[in-house]
Amino acid sequence: MVSAGTRSVPDGIDALTLHWLTSELGSDVTDVRVEQIAMDSGFSSLLYRLHLTGDGLPSTLIAKLPAVSEARGAMELLGGYRRELAFYRNVAGRAPIATPRVYAARMAQDSVDFILLLEDLQDWENADHLAGLSMDRARLCVEQLAGLHAWSADPANASALEEFPSIDTPIARDLLVPAFAPGWEVYLEKCAGSVPDRVADFAENFAQRAVTALPALTERDMLLHGDIRADNLFFNGGEMKVVDFQFAARGCGAADIAYLVTQGLRSEAREGHDESLLRVYLDHLAAQGVTDYSFDDAWRHYRYAAVYLMVLPVITLNGWEALPERSRELCLTLTDRAIAAIDEIDALEVFE
């Protein structure tokens, strides 16, 4: 049962006392040992593994709290923490997309202090975004995304979508897109390869041209994960669970698929499979009742998103000096992959 009432929200890991945990979990917690995790990859949140002692309790849980860095302010501006809490309260367990079990999802009324207590997936394999997904795992993720999108397209579930913004927001237009230019200069300085001329020309005018993708990407009203990358996927044999819903938004489902495929697969694995993976997605949508999303429309959305969503790794490069080495390599690699996909599928054609 997800708790979402008015019980006090801890303002830090030290506030997760035995009394608070016992009250929240409904079982007597006699001891807790705290271990901070994901310190080299967490950006917007702090993650801890709680080792619990007590009857009727899981041996470990994951506690997720807001960052104490400048990322906290950025997430407040983007509404990221509220989006994730809304997902775990209103969508998880209802939509056919597998997530960790949520034990608590609380947020303060007057600040962005929040707490998520989640199932610990330490026995599952966390995919590596830098290594990229296999084709089988990409198809499994496509299937689950289709489940989420189809569920959200059902008018009966419309109320669950009310707390999620459109993918086309003033913040995206006025803050994210303009931040592309300085990040692109970092990419050109640090990248190992060359950029095709058409992509380079487009990138030089990205803020003026890419923003035209946003109206197209809102032509359908589906709930998107918004950050569906390999690092947010956990696998156990043929099962998969998805985490991190801080960028959940409403728009065209093909945007999630484009981000997953063009940046989540190595270029050599993806090459020649964009259209076939999109057709797999549409087949799963149709099987769940969404039969009016044509391939032509979805392919147009896919190509718009392949270009526009290059903004995510590129703007992260603006923080180059403070980025850990793996994050630097990851942003360069994801931009490389996006460029290769844009060039191969002639994604720029939709902007002409």
Side-chain angles (χ1 to χ4, degrees):
M1 177 69 71
V2 179
S3 54
T6 58
R7 187 175 297 143
S8 64
V9 177
D11 59 3
I13 191 63
D14 291 340
L16 267 68
T17 63
L18 296 180
H19 174 76
W20 189 91
L21 288 166
T22 294
S23 178
E24 196 67 33
L25 296 174
S27 296
D28 189 22
V29 181
T30 59
D31 190 39
V32 59
R33 178 169 63 85
V34 175
E35 169 194 3
Q36 188 169 1
I37 61 174
M39 288 180 286
D40 61 342
S41 58
F43 168 70
S44 59
S45 302
L46 299 175
L47 292 173
Y48 300 89
R49 176 169 287 119
L50 308 181
H51 299 263
L52 304 174
T53 302
D55 292 336
L57 295 167
S59 59
T60 59
L61 286 177
I62 298 299
K64 188 171 187 177
L65 296 98
V68 294
S69 66
E70 62 183 18
R72 179 184 175 108
M75 292 305 294
E76 183 173 13
L77 181 66
L78 293 169
Y81 298 143
R82 295 190 183 279
R83 298 191 212 189
E84 183 157 51
L85 269 288
F87 190 94
Y88 278 114
R89 288 175 178 175
N90 303 328
V91 180
R94 296 174 61 192
I97 184 170
T99 65
R101 178 182 173 185
V102 56
Y103 289 82
R106 295 188 179 278
M107 189 164 200
Q109 296 295 319
D110 57 353
S111 75
V112 293
D113 284 336
F114 76 91
I115 177 68
L116 278 171
L117 294 181
L118 301 170
E119 172 191 3
D120 187 358
L121 300 177
Q122 64 176 326
D123 294 330
W124 292 54
E125 180 189 349
N126 188 190
D128 184 338
H129 207 32
L130 192 56
L133 291 170
S134 68
M135 190 58 65
D136 285 345
R137 287 183 168 182
R139 289 193 183 98
L140 180 58
C141 190
V142 165
E143 179 180 356
Q144 290 219 18
L145 288 171
L148 172 64
H149 299 164
W151 178 87
S152 66
D154 185 341
N157 299 317
S159 62
L161 275 62
E162 293 174 356
E163 295 189 63
F164 300 98
S166 167
I167 193 173
D168 183 4
T169 63
I171 289 175
R173 289 172 171 267
D174 299 338
L175 294 179
L176 298 187
V177 173
F180 182 91
W184 183 251
E185 292 303 315
V186 176
Y187 174 75
L188 292 178
E189 178 185 348
K190 304 295 184 181
C191 72
S194 59
V195 181
D197 290 343
R198 285 189 70 202
V199 179
D201 290 344
F202 187 95
E204 291 299 320
N205 297 287
F206 189 89
Q208 293 74 35
R209 299 194 64 190
V211 73
T212 61
L214 289 170
L217 294 177
T218 60
E219 289 175 358
R220 299 193 72 95
D221 192 23
M222 295 170 164
L223 181 58
L224 312 180
H225 180 281
D227 191 19
I228 191 70
R229 51 195 176 91
D231 287 348
N232 289 332
L233 307 178
F234 288 78
F235 294 90
N236 182 12
E239 297 181 83
M240 185 189 80
K241 291 190 176 183
V242 186
V243 302
D244 201 347
F245 296 91
Q246 294 175 346
F247 291 97
R250 296 160 68 169
C252 296
D256 263 349
I257 308 304
Y259 184 50
L260 173 77
V261 176
T262 63
Q263 296 188 34
L265 277 71
R266 299 185 312 277
S267 294
E268 57 270 26
R270 175 202 53 77
E271 188 173 354
H273 294 286
D274 294 80
E275 292 190 37
S276 62
L277 285 169
L278 186 62
R279 291 186 187 278
V280 168
Y281 165 71
L282 293 173
D283 287 345
H284 284 297
L285 272 186
Q288 296 175 76
V290 180
T291 58
D292 63 342
Y293 200 0
S294 71
F295 176 80
D296 286 347
D297 281 347
W299 182 237
R300 179 168 54 88
H301 297 152
Y302 184 102
R303 294 203 288 173
Y304 269 123
V307 176
Y308 170 71
L309 292 172
M310 184 170 59
V311 72
L312 297 179
V314 170
I315 66 173
T316 307
L317 289 169
N318 286 316
W320 180 268
E321 296 301 326
L323 289 175
E325 187 59 36
R326 183 184 183 277
S327 296
R328 293 177 174 180
E329 184 181 1
L330 183 60
C331 289
L332 293 175
T333 298
L334 299 185
T335 307
D336 290 344
R337 290 175 185 171
I339 290 169
I342 290 166
D343 186 48
E344 185 195 337
I345 66 175
D346 194 16
L348 297 178
E349 182 185 38
V350 296
F351 290 88
E352 294 173 354

